Amino acid sequence: MGDILATEADLLGMIKEYLKFEDFEETVHSFDKECKKKGKLVSKPQGSTLRDSKTRVIQKDLLSSFDDGDHKVFFELWTDNIPSEVKDTDTEAQSLESYLHIHFTIFPLRRHPGRHDRAEFEERISHFKQYLETRGAALSQTTKFLPYYALPFVPNPTIHPSFKDLFQDSWIPQLREKLEQFLSVALKPSNTPRLLHLYWKNNLHVIQQLQLQLVESDRRIASFVRKFSKMKADYQSLIGITAELVDSLEATVSGKMISPEYLQSVFVRLFSSQMRQSVVQSTDFTRPGTASSMLRASIAPQPKDVPMLPSLDYEKLKKDLVEGPDRLRSLLLQALCWRLTRSLPGEQRDTVLQAYISNDLLERYSTKQKTVLHLIRSKNEIVRQYVARLINAFASLAEGRVYLSQIPILLKLLTEALRTEEKDSLARENVLVALQKLSLRRSQQTAMIADDLIGWLVDELQDSDCLSDCTLQYSAALFMNLCLRTKGKRKCAENAKHVLKVLTDLLGHENHEIRPYVNGALYSILCIPSVRQEAKEMSVEEILRCYSKEENPDLNRQFEFIIKLLNSEDLLQPQPRELSGESLLTTEYLGIMTNMAKAKRKSTPLTQPSADEPLQRPVTPSSNRNVNTVRQKSEHGSLPPSRHNTRPPTRSGSRPSTADSLRHSIGGWM
C-alpha cells in the first residue's frame, strides 16, 4: 500500500511540476486545493539538487584532468557527459574540442621542454592523428585549423614558427577559461519537467521514424529539383540548336551546301548534356541514321520512381541484436544484409545505407561493453558469419567505408577474428574481404600495418595451396595495398628474405589472377635498398626471367619494370641523423595554406596505370579485373558483356558507383 501511495505522490508531483513550468498559476492553485481536500500527497521535485551536485563533480574532474594533461580521463568524461547534439552540431564545441586535442598532444613538450618522454609524445601524436582522420576531418576545410594538421609531421614543434602561439604562457589559461565557460553552459542541468522527459522517451522511436521520413522526402525533393534544372537547361540549349537547324534548312533550299564538319559540331552540342564528353567527341554523327536513332533513344520511356523501403525502429533492432537469442540475432543480421544488398541500385540503396549510418547501426561512438560489432566474438558460428557479411556489405560502398573507419574498435575485432576463425569458415573469408576493401583508405592501412597484418598475410600466403581462390586473391591484394605504404615496405624489409621467397613462389601458382598483386608488391618493396640487395643474393632476376618466357606480353613487360628497378642504384643516401624527404620539407620549409589554391577545384580523374607497369595504387580484385578488361577491349575490339566489365576501378582516390560496387563486390557473399 505504501508503494502505491508513493507512486501516486510522484505522479501528482510531476503534474504539478509541469503546470508550474507552463505558468498555469490558477490551475496549480486549484490542483493544490483539491489534493489537500482529498488528502492526496504531492511529492516535491528533488532531482535538481542532485543534478547540480553531480554536474559540479563532473566539471571539477574535467578541469583537473585538463590541468594534469590526462587526455584519457578527460575525453572519457567528455564523451560520456557532453550531449551528442552539442558535440556533433555546435561549431564552437567542435572548435574547442580541436584545441583541447592540441593541448593534450603538446602537453609533454610544455611540461618538460627539451627532455620530454619521446614515447609518451609519440603516443599522443598517434591519438591526435586518429582524431584528425575521424571527428576532426571536417575542420581541415577551415583556414584557422589547417596549419595544425601539419603538427604530427613536425619533429620539434616547439621551435617551429607555425606553432609558436601554442607555447606562449598565455595560451593554456585562455583555453582553460574557454573550457570553463563552455562547461558551465553545456553541463547546466535542464529545467525540463519530468513529465516531458517521460513523454519524449516513450515517443523517441516515433520521432526518429518521422525524422528519417523527412530526410527521405528532402532527398527526393532535391532529386526532382536537379531533374527540373537539367530539363530547363536542355530546353534552352535546344531552342538555340533548333534555330540553327532551321537556318540550315533555309540555306539548303537556296542551294547552299552544309558541310559534314558543321553537322558534327551541331550534334556534339545537341548530345553533350546527355552523354559523356569523350563518347560524344568520338561518335561519328555524319553517318546516316546515327543522330536520329540516338534522339529516339533519348526520349524512350524512363523507369518509374523507385519506392522507398519502410522505416525501421533501430533502437529496438540494436537492443534485440545485443540481448536477443542467437536464432533471432542471426535472422536480424541476415535481414539487414539483404535489405542493403538486395535493394535496387541507386536512390533506394543509398537511402538504406544512409539510414543504417544515421541511426548508427554499428554503434561507432558507443562506450558500452556489448555492441552489435561485438557479436563477431559470439560463440554461435552463424551469428559470427552474418556479422562479418554485414561488415563486408558496408565495406563494399565508399560511404560505408567512411563510416567503418570511424569505429575505433573495428580493426581490432576484425584482425582478432581473422586470427581465431577456422581457415575454411565463411566468417573468416568475409572478414578478409572486408579488410581488403577497407585497405583502400589510408587511415585503415596505417592501423593494419601497426597491427602487423603484413606478417600474418605473409604466413598465410606461404601456405597458398591450402587457400581457396577467394582467400588467396584477396590476401594477395590486401598485402599489395599495405606494401604500397612506406611503413609497409619497411615492415617487409625486416624479414626481406622470407617475404621475397613467398612472393616468388606465388608467381608460379596456377591462379594467374593473383600475379598483378604479387608484381605490385615486388615492385613496391624493391624500392628499399636492403630488399634489393637480398633479392640479388636470392637471384630474383633469374626467377623473373624464367616466368617471363610464358606467352603473356603484359606480364613480361611488368617483369622488365621490376628487373630494371632491381638493378637500379640510389644516387643519394641520407647520412645518419640527416633530414631527408618529407621530414626535411616539413621541418625546415613548412608553410601555412600553401596548398589551398587548388583545394576546391574539381579533381581530375586518376589516370589508369599502363598495362606495362605493376600496380602502384591500392585496388580491389574486382576493380583490377575491370582495368584488364578495358585494356583487352582497347586492343582486341568489343568483348561480350561479363560480370566484370561493367564496374569502374575502385581506387583510393576514386569512388565506385553504389550499384556496381554492391553487384560485384557483395553478390558472391550474400
Side-chain angles (χ1 to χ4, degrees), residues 187-206:
L187 296 177
K188 185 177 181 181
S190 172
N191 293 322
T192 307
R194 288 173 292 168
L195 196 61
L196 273 181
H197 275 298
L198 286 173
Y199 174 79
W200 287 336
K201 184 178 180 180
N202 291 334
N203 290 277
L204 181 62
H205 69 285
V206 177

Side-chain angles (χ1 to χ4, degrees), residues 431-499:
V431 166
L432 175 64
V433 175
L435 282 169
Q436 200 284 326
K437 294 167 186 174
L438 284 170
S439 71
L440 296 174
R441 296 189 61 80
R442 186 177 179 85
S443 62
Q444 303 303 291
Q445 294 170 358
T446 303
M448 291 179 198
I449 295 169
D451 198 31
D452 196 25
L453 196 56
I454 284 180
W456 183 89
L457 286 166
V458 172
D459 293 339
E460 183 82 352
L461 291 168
Q462 184 180 13
D463 196 16
S464 58
D465 290 336
C466 298
L467 303 178
S468 66
D469 284 344
C470 171
T471 300
L472 177 62
Q473 200 167 340
Y474 276 89
S475 296
L478 174 57
F479 179 73
M480 186 203 75
N481 287 355
L482 299 183
C483 286
L484 296 175
R485 295 287 302 279
T486 302
K487 290 182 179 179
K489 297 172 189 176
R490 290 173 181 166
K491 182 68 73 173
C492 291
E494 294 174 4
N495 195 4
K497 186 173 183 179
H498 180 47
V499 172

